[in-house]
Amino acid sequence: MKEISVETITQEIARLCIEAACDLPIDVEKVINEAAEKEESEYGKYALQKICRNIKIAREDTVPMCQDTGMVIVFAELGQDVHIVGGDFEDAVNAGVAKGYIDGYLRKSTVIDPVLNRKNAGDNTPAIIYTSIVPGDTLTLTVMPKGAGSENMSKLAMLKPAQGLEGIKQFIIDSVVNAGGNPCPPTIVGVGIGGNADKAMQLSKVALRREAGAPNPNPEYAALEQELLEKINKSGVGPMGFGGRVTALAVHIETYPTHIATMPVGVTLNCHAARHKQVVL
């Protein structure tokens, strides 16, 4: 049985929060650079060039690439042979978020109550934590800050099975196009299909963790991702909504078995700053 202390978890979460805010993953930067090269719209190309410059400044100067440093999502893959010692796991994660956002001078955006008292929590806690038990003796932590501009464009549809693949396609395309420039495109489009309502939305978040542009391992879903990407990019929304050929950088689909009488589809858009960092303990 491998032991991992809560102190280690707190320190690592704090580090990941700061790094995620300031250092865009190389795979995301690569597809943005490629988009800047192929964009034909004058305004769209200008926007992408500024985005590329912003990414470099953030990394070189260790400053946030966006003023909205997000609400923190943490994916924890806990090996069944790991024992967390010294305290509560979720408390340790939230202590790490607080430390990272305070030490890193990152904007604190969470409020303590969604309706009755929207007072700022002051430390960007609590995080949204998705924990899964997996084989092995490691703990994998993925920190994904999610800004509100793109999060507000999330969509869920409880489609009827009779609406079929064409209904799914139309819902996904409409979700992206109707969002316009609000999610700061070009976006990465996370899609979850199956399960129930909450599972579909969770899957759409999981889809955003994938390497940018990496295809679904199922070739049929990979082909669907490519088809959707091409149709979305023909919409003309373009970078930052200024018009152009690049509205989305990638479409990622994740699926799960579902009930015979339903067909849930969740769509979560990630702005061009698709921030995430990971550590394996």
Side-chain angles (χ1 to χ4, degrees):
M1 181 71 70
K2 179 179 180 179
E3 293 188 346
I4 299 176
S5 71
V6 293
E7 289 84 1
T8 297
I9 292 168
T10 294
Q11 292 298 323
E12 289 298 316
I13 289 290
R15 177 179 65 83
L16 293 176
C17 284
I18 296 171
E19 290 184 3
C22 305
D23 184 14
L24 194 69
I26 296 301
D27 60 297
V28 180
E29 184 179 19
K30 178 176 179 290
V31 293
I32 292 175
N33 285 333
E34 291 170 353
E37 289 294 323
K38 67 183 180 183
E39 179 56 68
E40 296 174 0
S41 159
E42 179 182 352
Y43 290 118
K45 195 172 192 70
Y46 175 83
L48 285 167
Q49 289 170 344
K50 294 301 181 185
I51 287 170
C52 292
R53 178 64 180 143
N54 183 62
I55 292 167
K56 291 179 180 178
I57 291 172
R59 182 179 293 128
E60 291 168 1
D61 295 350
T62 317
V63 293
M65 66 193 75
C66 178
Q67 51 81 25
D68 185 350
T69 50
M71 189 169 187
V72 178
I73 301 170
V74 176
F75 294 94
E77 296 167 87
L78 179 63
Q80 60 189 13
D81 296 321
V82 171
H83 183 206
I84 306 297
V85 296
D88 180 80
F89 171 70
E90 292 199 0
D91 287 347
V93 169
N94 285 318
V97 171
K99 178 176 174 55
Y101 274 71
I102 292 170
D103 292 354
Y105 300 98
L106 307 179
R107 195 184 83 180
K108 293 81 176 172
S109 301
T110 60
V111 294
I112 60 175
D113 184 279
V115 181
L116 302 179
N117 181 5
R118 290 184 66 87
K119 180 182 177 181
N120 196 294
D123 58 8
N124 219 55
T125 65
I128 296 172
I129 306 171
Y130 295 113
T131 303
S132 56
I133 306 299
V134 298
D137 62 353
T138 60
L139 169 61
T140 300
L141 297 169
T142 304
V143 166
M144 188 170 78
K146 191 71 168 58
S150 59
E151 186 66 12
N152 285 345
M153 298 298 107
S154 302
K155 298 291 181 183
L156 171 68
M158 303 303 292
L159 301 181
K160 298 178 176 63
Q163 290 175 265
L165 182 56
E166 291 306 312
I168 292 173
K169 291 180 188 177
Q170 195 60 55
F171 171 69
I172 295 168
I173 293 168
D174 288 347
S175 296
V176 180
V177 174
N178 292 339
N182 291 309
C184 295
T187 58
I188 294 178
V189 183
V191 179
I193 305 174
N196 54 13
D198 52 299
K199 183 65 175 180
M201 291 307 300
Q202 182 185 355
L203 286 171
S204 72
K205 288 289 198 305
V206 171
L208 297 175
R209 294 174 52 191
R210 195 191 309 170
E211 179 182 338
N216 188 294
N218 182 320
E220 292 181 281
Y221 280 113
L224 177 58
E225 290 172 337
Q226 186 60 36
E227 178 188 347
L228 288 166
L229 180 62
E230 291 173 1
K231 289 182 176 179
I232 288 167
N233 284 338
K234 288 179 181 178
S235 68
V237 173
M240 301 303 290
F242 293 155
R245 296 173 60 86
V246 186
T247 300
L249 299 167
V251 176
H252 295 167
I253 298 173
E254 296 293 330
T255 64
Y256 196 83
T258 191
H259 191 281
I260 56 172
T262 191
M263 192 164 62
V265 184
V267 174
T268 300
L269 304 183
N270 208 126
C271 66
H272 61 267
R275 299 162 290 185
H276 54 274
K277 291 292 178 179
Q278 185 180 91
V279 68
V280 180
L281 301 177

